[in-house]
Amino acid sequence: MTDEVDRIVEAWRRERPDLDVAPLAVLSRVSRLARHLDLARRTAFDRHDLELWEFDVLSALRRAGEPYQLSPGTLVTQTLVTSGTMTNRIDRLAARGLVERLPAPSDRRGVLVRLTPAGRARVDAALEDLLRVERGLLADLPDADRARLADLLRVLVSPFDA
């Protein structure tokens, strides 16, 4: 079985035999998969009236456990955006009734962001839909191959997370 990446790699080998184009065989597939995954996620979240970034923030709060609240700084760290971007996102989610701001009990100047019941229902439903879609994307891989692929990708991604 060959795919578009095989054709691209072969063309580069033909045109630039002086270069080792082997990394393209892996990373071009990762890049193409990322685009397909992004589209699948957008489609799943659209069904729940959520943007990707909204799901990221809401799911960070949901994963925090009861009472589903985090500081804006923790949300910045978990979602890899700037503090200004996070402030805007919190404002927008609060306007939609999906989160609320609360004073931090240990710091009068501090704020906590808490998931509302509506936000929890929305993120839970979106997660269920996302997992259904993602299971479909992985359906052709046996469980052992999925586990091996997860391990290999962890090795590739870990330097970026450090």
Side-chain angles (χ1 to χ4, degrees):
M1 172 169 65
T2 61
D3 64 4
E4 185 62 23
V5 172
D6 290 322
R7 289 184 280 282
I8 291 168
V9 169
E10 184 54 37
W12 278 121
R13 283 189 177 132
R14 182 186 68 245
E15 294 299 315
R16 291 297 310 268
D18 57 311
L19 296 177
D20 175 13
V21 297
L24 294 174
V26 174
L27 299 178
S28 291
R29 285 185 176 93
V30 170
S31 177
R32 293 169 79 82
L33 179 60
R35 283 187 230 135
H36 290 293
L37 181 57
D38 184 59
L39 179 61
R41 286 181 167 186
R42 286 181 192 280
T43 301
F45 297 151
D46 281 350
R47 288 191 285 267
H48 302 278
D49 192 28
L50 288 175
E51 298 287 332
L52 287 168
W53 66 265
E54 290 174 311
F55 180 81
D56 284 347
V57 175
L58 296 176
S59 64
L61 292 166
R62 180 64 170 97
R63 289 190 314 266
E66 288 271 3
Y68 311 113
Q69 64 188 27
L70 295 170
S71 71
T74 301
L75 287 169
V76 163
T77 301
Q78 289 191 15
T79 61
L80 302 174
V81 299
T82 66
S83 60
T85 297
M86 183 53 64
T87 298
N88 179 272
R89 290 179 175 186
I90 293 167
D91 289 345
R92 291 172 66 185
L93 289 166
R96 293 187 62 195
L98 301 175
V99 302
E100 60 185 347
R101 282 188 173 88
L102 304 168
S106 60
D107 178 4
R108 289 187 306 168
R109 295 173 293 149
V111 172
L112 291 174
V113 180
R114 179 183 293 166
L115 193 61
T116 65
R120 181 177 173 192
R122 182 85 51 99
V123 73
D124 281 353
L127 177 63
E128 290 172 23
D129 202 8
L130 172 66
L131 292 173
R132 182 186 53 75
V133 168
E134 290 186 350
R135 269 192 293 280
L137 292 172
L138 295 171
D140 292 338
L141 281 180
D143 289 346
D145 288 346
R146 288 183 204 181
R148 179 73 177 134
L149 180 57
D151 290 342
L152 292 169
L153 290 171
R154 184 180 304 107
V155 170
L156 279 178
V157 171
S158 65
F160 297 101
D161 290 343

